[in-house]
Coordinates of all heavy atoms in Angstrom, one line a residue:
N1 N -99.4 43.8 -35.0 CA -100.1 43.3 -33.8 C -99.6 44.0 -32.5 O -99.9 43.5 -31.4 CB -100.1 41.8 -33.7 CG -101.0 41.1 -34.7 OD1 -101.9 41.8 -35.3 ND2 -100.8 39.8 -34.9
E2 N -98.7 45.0 -32.7 CA -98.1 45.6 -31.5 C -99.1 46.6 -30.9 O -98.9 47.8 -30.9 CB -96.8 46.3 -31.8 CG -95.6 45.3 -32.0 CD -95.0 44.8 -30.7 OE1 -95.5 45.2 -29.7 OE2 -94.0 44.2 -30.8
R3 N -100.2 46.1 -30.4 CA -101.2 47.0 -29.9 C -100.9 47.7 -28.6 O -101.2 48.9 -28.5 CB -102.5 46.1 -29.6 CG -103.0 45.5 -30.9 CD -104.2 44.5 -30.6 NE -104.8 44.0 -31.9 CZ -104.4 42.8 -32.4 NH1 -103.4 42.1 -31.8 NH2 -104.9 42.4 -33.5
L4 N -100.2 47.0 -27.7 CA -99.8 47.7 -26.4 C -98.8 48.8 -26.7 O -98.9 49.9 -26.1 CB -99.1 46.7 -25.5 CG -98.7 47.3 -24.1 CD1 -100.0 47.8 -23.3 CD2 -98.0 46.2 -23.3
H5 N -97.9 48.6 -27.7 CA -96.9 49.6 -28.1 C -97.7 50.8 -28.7 O -97.4 52.0 -28.4 CB -95.9 49.1 -29.1 CG -95.0 50.1 -29.6 ND1 -94.7 50.2 -31.0 CD2 -94.3 51.1 -29.1 CE1 -93.8 51.2 -31.2 NE2 -93.6 51.8 -30.0
W6 N -98.6 50.6 -29.5 CA -99.4 51.7 -30.2 C -100.0 52.5 -29.1 O -100.0 53.8 -29.2 CB -100.5 51.1 -31.1 CG -101.3 52.2 -31.7 CD1 -101.1 52.9 -32.8 CD2 -102.6 52.7 -31.2 NE1 -102.0 53.8 -33.1 CE2 -103.0 53.7 -32.1 CE3 -103.4 52.4 -30.1 CZ2 -104.2 54.4 -31.9 CZ3 -104.6 53.1 -29.9 CH2 -104.9 54.1 -30.8
L7 N -100.6 51.9 -28.1 CA -101.3 52.7 -27.1 C -100.4 53.4 -26.1 O -100.7 54.6 -25.8 CB -102.3 51.7 -26.3 CG -103.1 52.4 -25.1 CD1 -104.1 53.4 -25.7 CD2 -103.7 51.3 -24.3
T8 N -99.4 52.8 -25.7 CA -98.6 53.3 -24.5 C -97.2 53.8 -24.9 O -96.6 54.6 -24.2 CB -98.4 52.2 -23.5 OG1 -97.6 51.2 -24.0 CG2 -99.7 51.7 -23.0
G9 N -96.6 53.3 -26.0 CA -95.2 53.6 -26.4 C -94.2 52.6 -25.8 O -93.0 52.6 -26.1
F10 N -94.7 51.6 -25.0 CA -93.8 50.6 -24.4 C -93.4 49.6 -25.4 O -94.3 49.0 -26.1 CB -94.5 50.0 -23.2 CG -93.7 48.9 -22.6 CD1 -92.5 49.1 -22.0 CD2 -94.2 47.5 -22.6 CE1 -91.8 48.1 -21.4 CE2 -93.5 46.5 -22.0 CZ -92.3 46.8 -21.4
T11 N -92.1 49.3 -25.5 CA -91.6 48.4 -26.6 C -91.2 47.0 -26.0 O -90.6 46.2 -26.8 CB -90.4 49.0 -27.3 OG1 -89.4 49.3 -26.4 CG2 -90.9 50.3 -28.0
G12 N -91.3 46.8 -24.8 CA -90.9 45.5 -24.2 C -91.7 44.3 -24.7 O -92.7 44.5 -25.3
S13 N -91.2 43.1 -24.4 CA -91.8 41.9 -24.9 C -92.8 41.3 -24.0 O -93.4 40.3 -24.3 CB -90.7 40.9 -25.3 OG -90.0 40.5 -24.1
A14 N -93.0 41.9 -22.9 CA -94.0 41.4 -21.9 C -94.6 42.6 -21.2 O -93.9 43.5 -20.7 CB -93.4 40.4 -20.9
G15 N -95.9 42.6 -21.1 CA -96.6 43.7 -20.3 C -98.1 43.7 -20.6 O -98.6 42.9 -21.4
A16 N -98.7 44.7 -20.0 CA -100.2 44.9 -20.2 C -100.5 46.2 -19.7 O -99.8 46.9 -18.9 CB -101.0 43.8 -19.5
A17 N -101.7 46.7 -20.1 CA -102.2 48.0 -19.6 C -103.7 47.8 -19.2 O -104.4 47.0 -19.8 CB -102.1 49.1 -20.6
V18 N -104.1 48.5 -18.2 CA -105.5 48.6 -17.9 C -105.9 50.1 -17.9 O -105.2 51.0 -17.4 CB -105.8 48.1 -16.4 CG1 -107.3 48.4 -16.1 CG2 -105.5 46.6 -16.3
V19 N -107.0 50.4 -18.7 CA -107.4 51.8 -18.8 C -108.8 51.9 -18.3 O -109.7 51.0 -18.6 CB -107.4 52.2 -20.3 CG1 -107.9 53.6 -20.4 CG2 -106.0 52.2 -20.8
T20 N -109.1 52.8 -17.4 CA -110.5 53.1 -16.9 C -110.8 54.6 -17.4 O -110.0 55.2 -18.1 CB -110.6 53.1 -15.4 OG1 -109.9 54.2 -14.8 CG2 -110.0 51.8 -14.9
Q21 N -111.9 55.1 -17.0 CA -112.3 56.4 -17.5 C -111.5 57.5 -16.8 O -111.3 58.6 -17.4 CB -113.8 56.7 -17.3 CG -114.7 56.0 -18.2 CD -114.5 56.4 -19.7 OE1 -113.9 57.4 -20.0 NE2 -114.9 55.5 -20.6
D22 N -110.9 57.2 -15.7 CA -110.1 58.3 -15.0 C -108.7 57.9 -14.6 O -107.9 58.7 -14.0 CB -110.9 58.8 -13.8 CG -111.2 57.7 -12.8 OD1 -110.9 56.6 -13.0 OD2 -111.9 58.1 -11.8
R23 N -108.3 56.6 -14.8 CA -107.0 56.1 -14.4 C -106.5 55.2 -15.5 O -107.2 54.6 -16.3 CB -107.0 55.4 -13.1 CG -107.4 56.3 -11.9 CD -107.5 55.5 -10.6 NE -106.3 55.0 -10.2 CZ -106.1 54.2 -9.1 NH1 -107.2 53.9 -8.4 NH2 -105.0 53.8 -8.7
A24 N -105.2 55.0 -15.5 CA -104.5 54.0 -16.4 C -103.3 53.4 -15.7 O -102.6 54.1 -14.9 CB -104.2 54.6 -17.7
A25 N -103.0 52.2 -15.9 CA -101.8 51.5 -15.3 C -101.2 50.7 -16.3 O -101.8 50.0 -17.2 CB -102.2 50.7 -14.1
I26 N -99.8 50.6 -16.3 CA -99.1 49.7 -17.1 C -98.3 48.7 -16.3 O -97.8 49.1 -15.2 CB -98.2 50.4 -18.1 CG1 -97.5 49.5 -19.1 CG2 -97.1 51.3 -17.4 CD1 -97.0 50.1 -20.3
F27 N -98.3 47.5 -16.7 CA -97.7 46.4 -15.9 C -96.5 45.8 -16.6 O -96.7 45.3 -17.8 CB -98.8 45.3 -15.6 CG -100.0 45.9 -14.9 CD1 -101.0 46.5 -15.7 CD2 -100.2 45.7 -13.6 CE1 -102.1 47.0 -15.1 CE2 -101.4 46.2 -13.0 CZ -102.3 46.9 -13.7
V28 N -95.3 45.7 -16.0 CA -94.2 45.1 -16.6 C -93.5 44.3 -15.5 O -93.6 44.5 -14.4 CB -93.2 46.2 -17.2 CG1 -93.9 47.0 -18.3 CG2 -92.6 47.1 -16.1
D29 N -92.6 43.4 -16.0 CA -91.9 42.6 -15.1 C -90.5 43.2 -14.8 O -90.2 44.3 -15.2 CB -91.7 41.1 -15.5 CG -90.9 41.0 -16.8 OD1 -90.1 41.8 -17.1 OD2 -91.1 40.0 -17.6
G30 N -89.7 42.5 -14.0 CA -88.4 43.1 -13.5 C -87.4 43.5 -14.6 O -86.6 44.3 -14.4
R31 N -87.6 42.9 -15.8 CA -86.7 43.2 -16.9 C -86.9 44.7 -17.4 O -86.0 45.3 -18.0 CB -86.9 42.3 -18.1 CG -86.5 40.9 -17.8 CD -86.9 40.0 -19.0 NE -88.4 39.9 -19.1 CZ -89.0 39.3 -20.2 NH1 -88.3 38.8 -21.1 NH2 -90.3 39.3 -20.2

């Protein structure tokens, strides 16, 4: 179920990504 990791390579325990047709952003906390 590590879907965010599959898409982005990020291995942290909290985060999210938004993908549009021409931009993408990844969101993580201070850790």
